[in-house]
Amino acid sequence: MQAITKRLGKTNARLNTKARKHEQLGIPNRLRITETAVRLNTQRLFLRELLNILLAYINKSQNRSSKVLDFHYPHQLKEGREGFSLELPDQPENLEQLLVDCRDTLKYGVKTGHPRFFNQLSTGLDIIGLAGEWLTSTANTNMFTYEVAPVFILMEEVILKKMQTFIGWSEEEGDGIFSPGGTMSNLYSVLLARYHFFPHVKTEGMHALPRLALFTSAHSHYSIKKSAVTLGIGSENVFLVKCDERGKMIPAELEYSIQTAKGKGLFPFYVNTTAGTTVYGAFDPISDIADICENHGLWLHVDGAWGGGLLLSERHRTKLRGIERASSVTWNPHKMMCVPLQCSAILVRKKGLLQKCNQLSAEYLFQMDKHYDTSYDTGDKTIQCGRHVDVFKLWLMWKAKVVHSTHPSTKPSAAYGNILQHIPEHSNVCFWYLPTTTVLRRLKGSVHVSKVAPKIKAKMMESGATMVGYQPLGDKVNFFRCVFSNPATQKADVDFLVDEIARLGSNLSHLKYEPNQGV
């Protein structure tokens, strides 16, 4: 970094000297090195050096000998590490310091593109997608009208139609929009379902409606309940339907829940099915649930945020059989398809519903007398105003490759306890680490292993060589959840993770069993 500072300083000094000399000599402006030229040259040098920093980071992220993270506790980063300060200065800092700050920001962050990062559903570092994100940021435009984002608006139309085709909808049906993430896409689905049944809610509000009920599996994403809270439906009116041992919604339990809601005087209107649950990676039986929705006249939503990418796989798309019967679908290409964050779409079978539900026709933005077809002003379809361009990186990646969904069949070794007694449906592998045979004998029905995974995870983050998540679920205490979605990950990386857990877990043998207290 000292070389960067020296180079920028020397170049700026030389150009500034020339500029002053040209001014003193009375050289005409068109021939002079001006302050503007000096500034532009400085910006070019800054961006070149920044590119070098980014390329070095990409190289490190793909290098297995480098750490996934250089972990520091919050108080350590707040205090400042090796000159890296989070505090805002009273005076502007020079470009050289900003380059140092850029480097340090990456240094202390998590390399989510590293082949040994298994912590989240969105991983990987796709170079084509990254190039698309860079171009998007350079263009720095907004997705609310065709006049400011003509190419991106048309790209979004093309991509959404392509995604609708994979769902199985006809050319005549289908609509959609890109949103800030799966939670927002799921929120749209509840919002649209409510408007579909009760369009007067848009003007009269909730007081004009009956007490609504919606249904989702006990293993579904929390965003469904959050949507009910946000839209004033209430969390108590969200029925969590029982699942089988694999985490799949039981259709008979859904039927029972609907009848129960009706018996309480509620108005059932919406069912969410999950295609790839967050923890187990389970796929609800969409076709069977669609039959129930059809019988009761309910809106069927498929949350395919995690598993939607399997629609692109001839081998695995059968897990989403029946999705074409859905009223709406959430699909996050930034997960299984490895598109850089963020990239999520809400897809709706009924054309025009998005527009009718959200349109307010603000005259300062959506004038109807423009000189082009104003149906391309998509901003009035959304509950946002400004909207980030999320489509270009996906469009570019789609052109560059055929995306194949991988399906690892990794099995933990004998020193581990499987959460499920079945082969995983998706690329989530959940397991306990069992540090001793004593713990193994006491495992069933106990809570004594609850602290093992958190303690190993803490040591793992401090070590920084790999990263995997953990959580409890229902009556199952904390277990590891290993997620595979990075194409760069190889079997050796999985072996490394297993060995690292065993290495870190070997130091837990001194922990004693304490009933009701955990290990």
Side-chain angles (χ1 to χ4, degrees), residues 387-413:
R387 195 161 59 92
H388 186 260
V389 177
D390 294 326
V391 68
F392 180 71
K393 54 203 169 188
L394 173 57
W395 179 85
L396 203 65
M397 286 176 65
W398 209 303
K399 291 194 66 151
K401 65 190 80 178
V402 177
V403 183
H404 293 287
S405 299
T406 57
H407 196 267
S409 56
T410 306
K411 295 181 181 179
S413 66

Side-chain angles (χ1 to χ4, degrees), residues 430-449:
C430 301
F431 58 94
W432 283 293
Y433 169 72
L434 310 175
T436 65
T437 54
T438 304
V439 172
L440 179 60
R441 286 197 301 271
R442 293 168 175 166
L443 178 62
K444 267 193 175 179
S446 301
V447 295
H448 60 285
V449 293

Side-chain angles (χ1 to χ4, degrees), residues 16 31 77 82 104 107 170 270 280 292 297 408 510:
N16 281 321
L31 301 175
L77 288 177
E82 300 173 1
D104 288 344
K107 176 184 177 183
S170 70
Y270 171 100
Y280 287 173
I292 294 172
H510 66 283

Side-chain angles (χ1 to χ4, degrees), residues 175-416:
D175 200 353
I177 206 78
F178 279 89
S179 78
T183 292
M184 285 298 296
S185 290
N186 286 340
L187 174 67
Y188 270 111
S189 71
V190 181
L191 178 71
L192 291 167
R194 187 179 67 177
Y195 178 82
H196 171 71
F197 290 109
F198 304 101
H200 56 284
V201 70
K202 185 174 178 178
T203 52
E204 297 178 31
M206 285 293 290
H207 77 281
L209 306 185
R211 190 176 165 198
L212 303 177
L214 61 154
F215 307 84
T216 189
S217 88
H219 286 225
S220 66
H221 194 264
Y222 73 96
S223 58
I224 302 300
K225 185 177 283 189
K226 180 176 278 191
S227 296
V229 172
T230 303
L231 295 173
I233 296 169
S235 60
E236 290 185 0
N237 298 322
V238 179
F239 286 72
L240 299 179
V241 182
K242 289 181 182 177
C243 298
D244 62 19
E245 70 280 1
R246 301 189 71 170
K248 302 156 77 75
M249 185 193 288
I250 303 171
E253 292 290 342
L254 172 62
E255 179 68 42
Y256 174 77
S257 296
I258 292 171
Q259 297 296 350
T260 300
K262 287 181 176 180
K264 292 181 178 180
L266 276 66
F267 185 97
F269 78 108
Y270 171 100
V271 175
N272 171 66
T273 61
T274 308
T277 57
T278 306
V279 181
Y280 287 173
F283 287 76
D284 289 338
I286 300 172
S287 285
D288 293 341
I289 294 168
D291 290 340
I292 294 172
C293 289
E294 210 168 273
N295 184 45
H296 290 278
L298 307 183
W299 181 284
L300 173 62
H301 176 66
V302 176
D303 178 6
W306 177 216
L310 295 191
L311 288 170
L312 304 179
S313 167
E314 289 184 16
R315 179 183 171 193
H316 296 293
R317 64 172 290 115
T318 55
K319 294 182 176 72
L320 295 98
R321 186 181 288 112
I323 192 172
E324 72 282 354
R325 299 172 66 185
S327 303
S328 57
V329 174
T330 290
W331 184 347
N332 285 10
H334 68 230
K335 290 182 177 170
M336 183 55 69
M337 293 168 65
C338 297
V339 177
L341 285 163
Q342 65 191 28
C343 191
S344 174
I346 173 66
L347 300 149
V348 189
R349 188 167 62 178
K350 187 176 180 182
K351 244 179 191 169
L353 192 64
L354 269 167
Q355 187 83 10
K356 288 177 183 175
C357 179
N358 298 307
Q359 185 176 33
L360 287 176
S361 304
E363 292 181 351
Y364 56 82
L365 195 57
F366 305 115
Q367 305 92 344
M368 299 306 294
D369 55 356
K370 292 181 179 180
H371 65 288
Y372 58 82
D373 182 353
T374 56
S375 67
Y376 289 104
D377 287 354
T378 58
D380 229 7
K381 284 181 174 183
T382 74
I383 53 178
Q384 301 168 249
C385 179
R387 195 161 59 92
H388 186 260
V389 177
D390 294 326
V391 68
F392 180 71
K393 54 203 169 188
L394 173 57
W395 179 85
L396 203 65
M397 286 176 65
W398 209 303
K399 291 194 66 151
K401 65 190 80 178
V402 177
V403 183
H404 293 287
S405 299
T406 57
H407 196 267
S409 56
T410 306
K411 295 181 181 179
S413 66
Y416 297 80

Side-chain angles (χ1 to χ4, degrees), residues 71-195:
F71 180 76
H72 292 79
Y73 287 93
H75 73 273
Q76 293 175 315
L77 288 177
K78 283 183 176 181
E79 290 166 0
R81 311 297 296 178
E82 300 173 1
F84 179 50
S85 174
L86 297 170
E87 297 301 318
L88 297 175
D90 294 328
Q91 299 296 325
E93 291 185 338
N94 56 42
L95 294 180
E96 291 90 334
Q97 180 57 47
L98 298 185
L99 286 171
V100 174
D101 291 339
C102 289
R103 180 203 62 186
D104 288 344
T105 298
L106 292 173
K107 176 184 177 183
Y108 296 117
V110 178
K111 298 182 184 71
T112 58
H114 197 288
R116 293 174 179 170
F117 177 79
F118 304 97
N119 207 75
Q120 254 43 68
L121 301 182
S122 51
T123 67
L125 187 61
D126 187 274
I127 299 303
I128 302 297
L130 184 60
E133 187 63 51
W134 287 353
L135 185 143
T136 295
S137 295
T138 303
N140 192 34
T141 194
N142 207 316
M143 285 290 283
F144 41 45
T145 62
Y146 178 84
E147 66 183 89
V148 295
V151 181
F152 296 135
I153 290 285
L154 296 179
M155 283 178 178
E156 188 172 66
E157 180 186 54
V158 168
I159 284 289
L160 290 171
K161 280 186 178 178
K162 179 65 74 174
M163 295 172 81
Q164 290 156 16
T165 300
F166 276 95
I167 289 172
W169 294 340
S170 70
E171 289 287 330
E172 292 73 37
E173 57 189 356
D175 200 353
I177 206 78
F178 279 89
S179 78
T183 292
M184 285 298 296
S185 290
N186 286 340
L187 174 67
Y188 270 111
S189 71
V190 181
L191 178 71
L192 291 167
R194 187 179 67 177
Y195 178 82

